[in-house]
Amino acid sequence: ACFRLLCSLLIPALFLSGILCVCVVVLLWGTRLWIQQRKNQWTSAGKDGKRPLLVAFFHPYCNAGGGGERVLWCAIRTLQKQYRNVTCVVYTGDRDATGEEIVEGAFRRFNIKLTHPVKFVFLEKRYLVEASLYPHFTLLGQSLGSVFLGWEALLKCVPDVYIDSMGYAFTLPLFKYLGGCRVGCYVHYPTISTDMLSVVRNQDTRFNNAAFITNNPLFSKFKLVYYYFFAFVYGLVGSCSDVIMVNSSWTLNHILSLWRAGACTSVVYPPCDVQTFLEIPLEEEKSTAEHSIVSVSQFRPEKDHPLQIRAFAKLLKEKRLGQQPSLKLILIGGCRNQQDEERVNNLKHLCEELGVSNDVDFRINVPFEELKRHLAEATMGLHTMWNEHFGIGVVECMAAGTVILAHNSGGPKLDIVVPYEGHITGFLAENEDSYAETMAYILSLSPQKRLEIRENARRSVHRFSDQHFEETFLLSVEPLFK
């Protein structure tokens, strides 16, 4: 009797499940066909009768002015130079600027001039990927938000080739399976990494792991399960990419372990404008009344500007015991939104608390020429992000001829601040004390010794040039254009 009851319930359930699956498949297939019909709306046939290939970059913050944006504009310039029959499109949420202003900003900030016009698709729902919208379950919230933003992008323009250049991997299946596009991605930083899993597992307090979670074993276990689930789904969506480019050895290791798509994954170092910085004359320092220490990075929480200010304050406290040249800390970076501006105000308050306001200078969204001038005059370059995926600012400082001091982790440790032909190229530190001590040590070196380190660093950065990026980028994306 029980068996008959079970069968009478199970068979209809299986039947209904089958019908539901068929309906979902038909719905998805119908949606795909409907989207495919919209593909020809954006381009018309050229003089040769061929429709240009539409290559779209998903970069909601393309006007932000950071290293990721430099990759975007260099990638577009590279494709324009290599392929005549390609039209580049950028999906962006920067609705406060026109396309002309965005392109002009790319030239002003990065010294990048495009050879052909770019089309912009302005998205209205960028707020869906703002971290502030998701005070809890931020990773999941932003990732789901990116799917809705990607859907808006797909409805407005259906490309032939889709490249996620900002780390929104959850949009990849959308464009591949519904849009029928060949898809690629450039990963600056994994949305979740094995390091993040270990931080939660070890109950360490970090900017992405609050104290109230680390102090509660139950919360920590729940967050660990959530992170493992998210890492599994992140691996699924990422692995559907036809071409995967990563910006450093550190990122490569994490993406290989999470996405498991080694056959189509390659390292493409981001393009750094080393040639422009190498034009700065490199001479032995003359006696000066002031040494400047320059930091180049966007004002985001993970960049850890408070560590820079605290270490600098500690250095000043120790240096004032003796009669030495005065020191100036110059923080150069981009502000994307009101949150970043509030962060800068908090940093200024920290300077007041530590009594170093007169010794710290904030330079926000500066033009390229001003950035170049500050680096030319600097004695030292400073970078403090833990597990920085790459570190374009680190390379720029080295190319400009500063003695770099970066965090002993991530890209700077594995790829950039490494010995070159057996010679030292810079320094690494980990915490407030070691940063202050290393800064004091660098300043104690003779100008001749600092010049040797600067020369070694300069020779080592040619592998991060625009030309090297263009060569490796074209090799990596070639399968998308066959």
Side-chain angles (χ1 to χ4, degrees), residues 358-434:
N358 294 333
D359 305 297
V360 180
D361 191 11
F362 289 83
R363 308 298 300 164
I364 316 296
N365 297 331
V366 302
F368 182 78
E369 286 303 317
E370 185 178 340
L371 167 66
K372 188 176 172 182
R373 179 173 56 80
H374 281 298
L375 286 176
E377 296 169 354
T379 302
M380 200 185 310
L382 190 61
H383 194 272
T384 47
M385 180 175 167
W386 171 73
N387 269 341
E388 169 70 272
H389 39 299
F390 180 72
I392 287 180
V394 175
V395 175
E396 290 176 343
C397 286
M398 292 166 72
T402 70
V403 180
I404 190 67
L405 173 57
H407 200 281
N408 189 27
S409 62
K413 178 183 180 181
L414 296 175
D415 293 312
I416 306 172
V417 191
V418 295
Y420 179 73
E421 295 180 352
H423 300 292
I424 188 170
T425 58
F427 298 87
L428 300 168
E430 293 181 7
N431 51 42
E432 189 181 313
D433 289 337
S434 60

Side-chain angles (χ1 to χ4, degrees), residues 448-463:
Q448 178 57 39
K449 182 61 180 173
R450 280 200 292 266
L451 181 62
E452 287 177 20
I453 296 169
R454 292 157 65 203
E455 287 173 341
N456 295 335
R458 273 198 157 184
R459 283 195 294 269
S460 75
V461 297
H462 287 285
R463 60 212 162 99

Side-chain angles (χ1 to χ4, degrees), residues 55 57 69-84 86-90 103 106-107 110-118 270-276 464-471 473-474:
V55 180
F57 291 82
E69 288 66 61
R70 189 166 212 288
V71 170
L72 169 70
W73 300 119
C74 272
I76 290 174
R77 183 179 64 183
T78 302
L79 291 181
Q80 288 181 343
K81 287 196 304 191
Q82 178 71 13
Y83 298 102
R84 290 186 178 181
V86 157
T87 297
C88 291
V89 175
V90 178
V103 171
F107 176 67
F110 305 120
N111 203 29
I112 294 172
K113 194 150 188 75
L114 302 179
T115 55
H116 300 291
V118 172
C272 307
D273 194 9
V274 295
Q275 191 53 48
T276 303
F464 307 123
S465 65
D466 284 4
Q467 184 181 352
H468 190 263
F469 168 82
E470 289 179 5
E471 292 168 359
F473 177 77
L474 286 173

Side-chain angles (χ1 to χ4, degrees), residues 279-455:
E279 291 168 4
I280 298 171
L282 192 61
E283 301 167 350
E284 188 174 320
E285 304 157 28
K286 298 175 177 64
S287 56
T288 177
E290 182 179 87
H291 285 298
S292 66
I293 301 169
V294 173
S295 160
V296 182
S297 57
Q298 285 184 305
F299 289 99
R300 303 206 304 257
E302 63 270 23
K303 298 297 183 181
D304 206 353
H305 287 90
L307 173 57
Q308 298 181 6
I309 294 168
R310 292 183 190 281
F312 179 69
K314 197 177 188 84
L315 172 69
L316 278 187
K317 190 176 179 182
E318 293 166 1
K319 294 292 281 183
R320 280 176 180 154
L321 298 175
Q323 295 296 319
Q324 278 129 348
S326 63
L327 300 174
K328 190 84 172 177
L329 176 62
I330 303 172
L331 303 178
I332 301 174
C335 275
R336 302 163 299 173
N337 48 38
Q338 189 179 347
Q339 278 183 301
D340 287 356
E341 289 167 10
E342 289 172 3
R343 201 166 287 118
V344 170
N345 289 331
N346 291 336
L347 292 171
K348 289 178 178 177
H349 291 316
L350 177 61
C351 291
E352 289 172 11
E353 288 174 23
L354 298 172
V356 295
S357 291
N358 294 333
D359 305 297
V360 180
D361 191 11
F362 289 83
R363 308 298 300 164
I364 316 296
N365 297 331
V366 302
F368 182 78
E369 286 303 317
E370 185 178 340
L371 167 66
K372 188 176 172 182
R373 179 173 56 80
H374 281 298
L375 286 176
E377 296 169 354
T379 302
M380 200 185 310
L382 190 61
H383 194 272
T384 47
M385 180 175 167
W386 171 73
N387 269 341
E388 169 70 272
H389 39 299
F390 180 72
I392 287 180
V394 175
V395 175
E396 290 176 343
C397 286
M398 292 166 72
T402 70
V403 180
I404 190 67
L405 173 57
H407 200 281
N408 189 27
S409 62
K413 178 183 180 181
L414 296 175
D415 293 312
I416 306 172
V417 191
V418 295
Y420 179 73
E421 295 180 352
H423 300 292
I424 188 170
T425 58
F427 298 87
L428 300 168
E430 293 181 7
N431 51 42
E432 189 181 313
D433 289 337
S434 60
Y435 267 98
E437 288 167 11
T438 310
M439 281 191 281
Y441 173 72
I442 293 169
L443 293 169
S444 73
L445 295 172
S446 67
Q448 178 57 39
K449 182 61 180 173
R450 280 200 292 266
L451 181 62
E452 287 177 20
I453 296 169
R454 292 157 65 203
E455 287 173 341

